[in-house]
Amino acid sequence: MLSHLNEQNQPQMVDVGDKAPTARRAVALAEVRLPPPLAALVSGNEIQGKKGPLFQTASLAGVMGAKRTSELIPLCHPLPLEDVKVELVALPRGPDGWATVEIRCSTRTFGKTGVEMEALTGASVAALTLYDMGKALSPEILIQGIRLLEKTGGKADYKVGT
């Protein structure tokens, strides 16, 4: 049975009242593919646009998104985040002229429930911000590969490939 459904198949918030608090951490990744007009503007791991520095703005938006996860995702517990880091790294352009930007969001707390959704939300909001700021040059920007890379704390740890 899914944890967010009760016996009558109705949505419910998971009861974490009896769980012991533990140190919890999660890392999520989103990939943004930049078409040639935008990829050509990447310099020194940043893009300067009319709206300002795209990567810095996307990073701040990702932190803000992670902090507001419980307001955006139904049934998520509000968490006291101890740390949120959002890093954007532009990979070299491919032969097709496109570039990939990897967005990693890491989150940390000490609590009764995990921070996976906060990491995933942070990476997603950063990717959406990059799209918003770059769409004037090309609406062909692709957001893909949003996924959890690792989590620690709680019942079991998880790491991609293990």
Side-chain angles (χ1 to χ4, degrees):
M1 182 198 279
L2 296 172
S3 62
H4 287 84
L5 295 176
N6 64 18
E7 294 79 20
Q8 292 77 37
N9 240 10
Q10 297 300 309
Q12 68 177 8
M13 184 178 251
V14 174
D15 182 354
V16 296
D18 293 333
K19 292 171 85 176
T22 62
R24 294 165 184 269
R25 181 176 179 273
V27 179
L29 175 74
E31 296 170 324
V32 179
R33 298 268 297 142
L34 303 178
L38 263 171
L41 298 178
V42 175
S43 173
N45 229 20
E46 180 60 271
I47 300 174
Q48 290 295 329
K50 290 182 180 179
K51 294 182 178 182
L54 275 65
F55 286 12
Q56 287 181 12
T57 304
S59 178
L60 288 171
V63 171
M64 292 171 67
K67 291 168 59 174
R68 298 190 71 170
T69 299
S70 67
E71 296 174 36
L72 300 169
I73 309 293
L75 308 177
C76 272
H77 293 84
L79 297 179
L81 293 174
E82 295 174 356
D83 189 35
V84 178
K85 287 187 176 53
V86 179
E87 299 174 274
L88 288 83
V89 175
L91 303 179
R93 289 172 70 175
D96 59 0
W98 286 66
T100 299
V101 176
E102 289 187 343
I103 301 171
R104 288 179 192 267
C105 179
S106 61
T107 52
R108 192 169 54 84
T109 194
F110 188 84
K112 296 182 176 193
T113 189
V115 288
E116 301 91 20
M117 291 309 302
E118 287 72 13
L120 287 161
T121 301
S124 299
V125 169
L128 290 168
T129 301
L130 197 54
Y131 183 95
D132 180 54
M133 294 184 75
K135 70 184 180 212
L137 274 177
S138 177
E140 294 180 314
I141 301 165
L142 298 173
I143 297 172
Q144 59 191 32
I146 299 170
R147 61 196 176 274
L148 183 68
L149 295 179
E150 67 180 274
K151 80 155 203 92
T152 57
K155 287 183 188 175
D157 293 347
Y158 168 81
K159 188 167 187 170
V160 170
T162 58

